[in-house]
Amino acid sequence: NDRLSQGLRYFGRVDEIRSVDVTASPFIQQEVGTRTSSGFGQTITYDVRDSRVDPTDGYFLSLSNDVAGAGGNTRYVKTAVSGTTYYPVFEESVLSFSGRAAYIAGMGQDVHLSDRYFLGGDNFKGFSKGGIGPRDTTSGTSNSALGGNALYTTDAEFAVPLTVAKEFGLRGIIWGEVGSLWDVDVSGPSVKDDASPRASVGFGFALRTPIGPVRADLGFPVLKKNYDDTEVFSFSLGQRF
């Protein structure tokens, strides 16, 4: 109906990891090869936002589950919950709060690199893609991110329309994020796996274009580990749900 919807899906996927740099973590090098996934999933969503493209009021909640094991050589159960609420403040300004939590568990096997979660970049500003979470510190390079099985993120944003290009939906945004990624199915003295919270703050600009929303941000970590990878500038194209 207008507020509640559910989608059922079958998925089939082939993942190939190859041409891994010799300086990469041995835990990544041992993942070289091809794996196939086949399974079923569902997503149920409750949405009372005033707009799905540019919301200013209301909220949505979502629950997703996936089970891989109907064929292929990969078996896991994955669950994710997320939601965002929006509050109009004044003169089309909007305050929003978002949250997400997710977990993946292997069924009779470890969770493979291509199925783990990665945090940073578009999904956690102020850190580079894969910059947060379990890492092999012996390689000393940015390609040592191992991904994780569990994550949570929360963020708050305050968006204000800018009159200099209001007809294009130009907005200035200040924001803050807190979250973490942890729990990886490998261990060793060089593997750092810590559920401690990370946090960043920053500001950015968003613009509506014919090809979709465009956004640029400057982010500054305020809570991090010394092995995390940070990134001040981030750019994204497309709607974030």
Side-chain angles (χ1 to χ4, degrees), residues 47-172:
D47 191 344
V48 292
R49 294 175 293 178
D50 58 350
S51 169
R52 296 188 178 185
V53 177
D54 194 13
T56 62
D57 195 5
Y59 65 91
F60 83 90
L61 301 169
S62 178
L63 168 66
S64 295
N65 308 95
D66 289 291
V67 179
N73 53 15
T74 303
R75 297 181 298 279
Y76 62 75
V77 178
K78 180 188 294 186
T79 298
V81 293
S82 62
T84 303
T85 184
Y86 302 86
Y87 300 96
V89 183
F90 60 87
E91 296 181 357
E92 301 180 17
S93 299
V94 179
L95 179 64
S96 63
F97 300 94
S98 299
R100 180 189 178 210
Y103 186 73
I104 181 171
M107 296 192 298
Q109 60 180 223
D110 291 342
V111 178
H112 296 297
L113 178 69
S114 54
D115 297 315
R116 297 174 197 150
Y117 298 106
F118 287 83
L119 198 58
D122 287 349
N123 60 15
F124 205 104
K125 299 178 291 296
F127 294 82
S128 61
K129 186 175 181 179
I132 295 174
R135 193 169 229 85
D136 182 1
T137 57
T138 57
S139 66
T141 63
S142 60
N143 59 7
S144 60
L146 302 176
N149 297 339
L151 70 81
Y152 74 88
T153 60
T154 60
D155 69 79
E157 293 190 351
F158 182 58
V160 180
L162 301 179
T163 56
V164 64
K166 192 173 181 179
E167 65 272 20
F168 297 107
L170 179 64
R171 296 174 295 165

Side-chain angles (χ1 to χ4, degrees), residues 162-203:
L162 301 179
T163 56
V164 64
K166 192 173 181 179
E167 65 272 20
F168 297 107
L170 179 64
R171 296 174 295 165
I173 303 170
I174 57 174
W175 52 264
E177 296 195 61
V178 178
S180 190
L181 173 71
W182 71 99
D183 188 21
V184 65
D185 294 321
V186 298
S187 60
S190 64
V191 175
K192 303 298 182 181
D193 185 0
D194 193 328
S196 299
R198 274 70 155 184
S200 60
V201 296
F203 63 92

Side-chain angles (χ1 to χ4, degrees), residues 13-17 30-37 72-74 109 112-115:
R13 202 175 81 200
V14 178
D15 294 299
E16 182 183 10
I17 298 177
Q30 70 186 18
E31 293 274 353
V32 170
T34 301
R35 293 179 177 86
T36 58
S37 304
N73 53 15
T74 303
Q109 60 180 223
H112 296 297
L113 178 69
S114 54
D115 297 315

